[in-house]
């Protein structure tokens, strides 16, 4: 029982698009062989609480409504679902709509927008879904009165959907591109931080070497300054010694020459 409940499809939710009452297409029972063909057009059992299929229409009425119904089915495909091993099909209604129906459609649109708490602005999947259902209902009403106008509205609807899909694809690709760029920037940031740390370490090492070289240079300058001072002092003493020696020799020479006169 749990397996069958899990395999069964959930009936579609209510839509702003008007549908005919659902029709039972086939019944699937566990006792039938897998290769057996399903029973087509089998009416639901009397005890069932599900929707009752409409009674068969006369041949003339069915023939007259066949072409609009085929066009509607081509534009707005019927929806199918399974319920208790029964396959149900629900086609779009081919009944014309009046002005009151359009007013009621607008009221239902506003009501469901409020009930489902759709956003008034911005991107909102709920609002988009409800407006798509409303536009499909307008296409249905227009197609019943003028098939060509309905087909033209169908082209407009498909073009709008293609444009929205293109924008959605562009948005998703731009988001993915932004994420890639953000990851690349984050990775580049970590690499840059590592490079900055290496350069700062190299800078500190070079500053240490500069300090050492400055200390060596100052030591060399101090040593050379002291040596130069010693050399200058020695040179000055030698000059003074030579001057005194010269004075003494000059005096001796003058004393030798003076008596002879």
């Amino acid at each position: 029982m749990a397996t069958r409940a899990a395999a069964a499809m959930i009936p579609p939710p209510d839509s702003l698009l008007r549908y005919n009452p659902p029709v039972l297409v086939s019944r699937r029972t566990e006792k039938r062989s897998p290769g057996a063909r399903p029973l087509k057009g089998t009416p639901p059992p009397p005890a069932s609480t599900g929707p009752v299929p409409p009674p068969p229409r006369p041949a003339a009425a069915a023939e007259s409504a066949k072409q609009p119904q085929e066009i509607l089915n081509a534009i707005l495909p019927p929806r199918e679902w399974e319920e208790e091993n029964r396959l149900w099909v629900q086609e779009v209604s081919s009944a014309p709509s009046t002005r009151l129906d359009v007013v009621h459609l607008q009221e239902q649109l506003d009501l469901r927008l409020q009930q489902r708490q759709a956003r008034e602005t911005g991107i909102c999947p709920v609002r988009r879904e409800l407006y798509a259902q409303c536009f499909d209902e307008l296409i249905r009403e227009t197609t019943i009165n003028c098939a060509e106008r309905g087909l033209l509205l169908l082209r407009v609807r498909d073009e709008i959907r293609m444009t929205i899909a293109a924008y959605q694809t562009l948005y998703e690709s731009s988001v993915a591109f932004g994420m890639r760029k953000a990851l690349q920037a984050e990775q580049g940031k970590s690499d840059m931080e590592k490079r900055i740390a290496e350069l700062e370490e190299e800078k500190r090492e070079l500053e240490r070497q500069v300090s050492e070289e400055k200390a060596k240079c100052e030591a060399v300058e101090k040593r050379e300054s002291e040596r130069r001072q010693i050399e200058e002092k020695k040179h000055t003493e030698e000059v003074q010694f030579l001057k005194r020696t010269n004075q003494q020799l000059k005096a001796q020479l003058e004393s030798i020459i003076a008596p002879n006169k």
Side-chain angles (χ1 to χ4, degrees):
M1 181 66 69
T3 306
R4 288 185 300 171
M9 296 175 58
I10 301 176
D14 293 336
S15 174
L16 294 175
L17 181 61
R18 184 186 299 182
Y19 285 89
N20 289 326
V23 178
L24 179 61
V25 176
S26 64
R27 298 173 58 188
R28 298 191 180 95
T29 58
E30 297 177 352
K31 296 182 180 180
R32 299 186 60 190
S33 61
R37 297 180 59 186
L39 300 176
K40 301 291 183 179
T42 305
S48 174
T49 58
V52 179
R57 295 179 294 179
E63 191 67 26
S64 61
K66 183 177 180 181
Q67 185 177 0
Q69 189 64 49
E70 289 180 352
I71 296 176
L72 288 175
N73 290 341
I75 295 177
L76 304 169
R79 54 184 183 179
E80 301 179 358
W81 74 93
E82 289 185 8
E83 184 178 0
E84 297 180 356
N85 293 326
R86 295 180 178 88
L87 179 61
W88 297 86
V89 175
Q90 193 174 22
E91 295 181 346
V92 177
S93 175
S94 59
S97 299
T98 62
R99 180 177 179 275
L100 294 178
D101 293 332
V102 177
V103 174
H104 180 67
L105 175 63
Q106 181 178 358
E107 294 175 352
Q108 287 295 317
L109 174 63
D110 296 335
L111 178 61
R112 296 193 182 186
L113 286 172
Q114 184 178 3
Q115 288 177 348
R116 299 182 63 178
Q117 298 179 355
R119 298 179 182 176
E120 296 182 359
T121 58
I123 299 175
C124 180
V126 175
R127 189 179 76 247
R128 177 183 173 188
E129 177 187 356
L130 292 175
Y131 272 96
Q133 294 176 5
C134 182
F135 193 67
D136 288 342
E137 172 63 17
L138 295 177
I139 292 176
R140 184 195 72 82
E141 297 174 1
T142 305
T143 304
I144 294 173
N145 297 326
C146 180
E148 291 77 8
R149 192 179 301 164
L151 292 174
L152 183 58
L153 286 177
L154 178 66
R155 288 183 58 185
V156 173
R157 185 199 68 178
D158 293 341
E159 179 63 26
I160 292 174
R161 289 183 178 178
M162 289 176 58
T163 304
I164 294 176
Y167 280 125
Q168 185 175 1
T169 303
L170 180 62
Y171 171 76
E172 293 174 354
S173 62
S174 63
V175 170
F177 178 77
M179 290 295 296
R180 288 197 303 269
K181 286 298 182 182
L183 292 176
Q184 292 177 1
E186 189 67 23
Q187 183 178 3
K189 180 181 177 181
S190 60
D191 296 340
M192 189 63 65
E193 289 177 350
K194 183 179 179 181
R195 178 61 177 166
I196 290 173
E198 293 177 354
L199 291 176
E200 288 179 350
E201 182 65 24
E202 184 178 355
K203 176 187 174 184
R204 286 192 293 269
E205 179 66 21
L206 292 175
E207 289 177 349
R208 186 184 61 81
Q209 294 179 5
V210 169
S211 299
E212 292 179 355
E213 295 297 328
K214 283 184 177 180
K216 291 180 180 179
C217 182
E218 290 176 357
V220 171
E221 288 180 353
K222 183 178 180 180
R223 187 170 59 251
E224 290 297 324
S225 176
E226 292 176 352
R227 187 180 64 82
R228 186 171 57 253
Q229 291 177 0
I230 294 173
E231 292 291 334
E232 289 179 354
K233 183 179 179 181
K234 184 179 179 180
H235 177 71
T236 303
E237 291 177 352
E238 289 180 353
V239 169
Q240 294 296 332
F241 175 74
L242 292 175
K243 284 182 178 180
R244 286 196 302 269
T245 304
N246 187 23
Q247 291 294 334
Q248 291 176 1
L249 292 175
K250 184 177 180 182
Q252 290 177 4
L253 181 61
E254 289 177 353
S255 63
I256 294 172
I257 295 174
N260 293 330
K261 291 181 178 180

